[in-house]
Amino acid sequence: MSGGDSGARAAAERDEFAAFFPQIVRDLTEDMLGHPEVGDAVARLKQVLEYNAPGGKCNRGLTVVAAYRRLVGPERQDPESIRRALAVGWCIELFQAFFLVADDIMDSSLTRRGQLCWYKKEGIGLDAINDAFLLESSVYRLLRRYCGQQPFYLHLLELFLQTGYRTELGQTLDLITAPVSQVDLSRFSEQRYKAIVKYKTAFYSFYLPVAAALYMAGIDGREEHEDAKAILLEMGEFFQVQDDFLDCYGDPALTGKVGTDIQDNKCSWLVVQCLQRATPEQRQILEENYGSKEPQKVAKVKELYDALGMQAAFREYEESSYGRLQALIESHARRLPRQIFLDLAQKIYKRQK
């Protein structure tokens, strides 16, 4: 397929996915909007959904639909199955929105996807915590509505519950490794970094969408899922390292957010690599400036990153990790369509946002 053809196909898939969102909102709100007791709360849910669920790249949700199509082939792609795949894709986007609304509060972030964070909007504040709970509940309401009568329903339910727990463990590791206003660089090891990334990002961003598609296609064997997991967790680490790099070096006009990892005392890939390369004097500069909101201190950390060649180090990591990914796909995708994993790798390699 030529570049133009694949670009057109990707655009058509994005349009199809986006066009299903109003149906999701109707499914979750329509029957209760005028309810005398809870109508006002459901109107708030509608607001929460419409502000927080769309607007991202939707890669997780799109992956469900694309992987499902590759797994079942054209003969099993009836409209009802595709609607189910679209709905499960949106379940993952709502799951993501639930995590992000809460994460932005914990990180005191300002913007998300090119707009004010939900909790920063006038009149919202910490009520956004309950809004995050509403987003999470919506996931399970949709799963029951679209998949409740399917043989794979229990697999999906357990997959979402287990993934939620793993992601929350990852967030806990992130928070206890880098408490606000308590900088302790000795906690920032490569081992801890990899654990945070695996649990906080890789399971829900990469394994969850593909595993959901596998279950929907009737593939529930342990070996197939373990093979997929080996590839997808590596991909998730690659993605998070990129994210950490873009937090510092990305263009906010492209990423849609202003990076705050330095200010938030985050155990990011850049600071972990920096610590491995720093002289005692340079480490002292980090000790004195990392985790501060003061612009001049943030600038000093960025100067140190530049002095230690972190941009070149990232380019080198990107090349070697992509090579590792290709080898993993080669060795672990024996029983699964290789193209699912190649498509995903292609999407994230050298991304700018």
Side-chain angles (χ1 to χ4, degrees), residues 99-116:
F99 292 136
L100 296 185
V101 168
D103 196 51
D104 285 342
I105 298 169
M106 289 180 255
D107 288 349
S108 305
S109 298
L110 303 174
T111 59
R112 168 73 65 184
R113 294 171 172 172
Q115 59 183 11
L116 268 183

Side-chain angles (χ1 to χ4, degrees), residues 60-341:
R60 295 164 186 83
L62 285 163
T63 296
V64 177
V65 187
Y68 179 74
R69 282 189 162 123
R70 283 214 181 267
L71 287 163
V72 301
E75 67 286 350
R76 280 173 57 199
Q77 290 180 30
D78 58 283
E80 203 45 47
S81 297
I82 296 301
R83 276 172 67 80
R84 264 197 299 275
L86 288 164
V88 172
W90 274 109
C91 283
I92 297 181
E93 292 300 320
L94 296 192
F95 213 39
Q96 155 89 332
F98 151 57
F99 292 136
L100 296 185
V101 168
D103 196 51
D104 285 342
I105 298 169
M106 289 180 255
D107 288 349
S108 305
S109 298
L110 303 174
T111 59
R112 168 73 65 184
R113 294 171 172 172
Q115 59 183 11
L116 268 183
C117 292
W118 177 244
Y119 84 100
K120 278 287 183 188
K121 277 181 67 69
E122 197 176 338
I124 304 296
L126 294 183
D127 292 359
I129 295 168
N130 192 64
D131 295 331
F133 298 157
L134 283 172
L135 287 164
E136 185 190 24
S137 300
S138 297
V139 170
Y140 296 102
R141 290 180 61 215
L142 283 172
L143 280 176
R144 184 161 183 260
R145 184 182 188 111
Y146 281 89
C147 305
Q149 302 305 309
Q150 299 301 313
F152 51 77
Y153 176 54
L154 189 57
H155 282 306
L156 284 187
L157 212 47
E158 288 182 337
L159 176 67
F160 273 86
L161 287 166
Q162 182 70 355
T163 303
Y165 175 59
R166 282 170 165 158
T167 306
E168 286 149 14
L169 284 178
Q171 176 71 347
T172 304
L173 281 176
D174 195 12
L175 294 169
I176 63 177
T177 303
V180 179
S181 74
Q182 196 190 326
V183 180
D184 179 1
L185 298 180
S186 66
R187 302 179 198 220
F188 292 179
S189 66
E190 187 148 10
Q191 185 182 9
R192 175 52 64 95
Y193 176 76
K194 283 174 178 282
I196 292 170
V197 168
K198 177 179 172 180
Y199 283 88
K200 185 180 172 179
T201 301
F203 274 110
Y204 96 91
S205 294
F206 289 87
Y207 178 63
L208 173 60
V210 175
L214 288 171
Y215 284 131
M216 292 174 81
I219 300 168
D220 55 15
R222 190 170 180 277
E223 272 191 70
E224 286 90 338
H225 279 263
E226 288 302 317
D227 280 344
K229 197 181 290 178
I231 298 166
L232 295 161
L233 293 183
E234 173 73 27
M235 211 177 281
E237 183 180 306
F238 177 57
F239 177 85
Q240 186 59 50
V241 171
Q242 284 178 315
D243 225 43
D244 290 355
F245 179 78
L246 291 171
D247 184 273
C248 181
Y249 290 107
D251 177 357
L254 289 175
T255 62
K257 58 185 176 183
V258 177
T260 59
D261 282 358
I262 294 171
Q263 296 92 314
D264 294 338
N265 185 31
K266 285 290 179 192
C267 179
S268 95
W269 183 83
L270 288 168
V271 75
V272 169
Q273 295 301 310
C274 191
L275 285 165
Q276 289 177 0
R277 293 165 166 77
T279 63
E281 294 77 18
Q282 288 170 324
R283 188 187 175 98
Q284 191 58 39
I285 294 171
L286 262 188
E287 298 272 5
E288 289 166 3
N289 295 284
Y290 201 75
S292 167
K293 308 261 186 244
E294 293 174 35
Q296 63 271 32
K297 290 194 171 186
V298 175
K300 280 189 175 163
V301 174
K302 289 186 177 180
E303 279 168 26
L304 184 57
Y305 285 172
D306 288 341
L308 288 167
M310 296 316 299
Q311 294 201 56
F314 170 72
R315 296 294 166 220
E316 195 180 304
Y317 167 84
E318 192 172 40
E319 292 301 328
S320 67
S321 180
Y322 193 69
R324 268 199 314 280
L325 253 184
Q326 298 292 337
L328 271 173
I329 292 169
E330 195 61 42
S331 62
H332 282 77
R334 294 181 299 272
R335 286 176 290 272
L336 296 166
R338 194 165 296 173
Q339 204 55 45
I340 290 174
F341 305 104

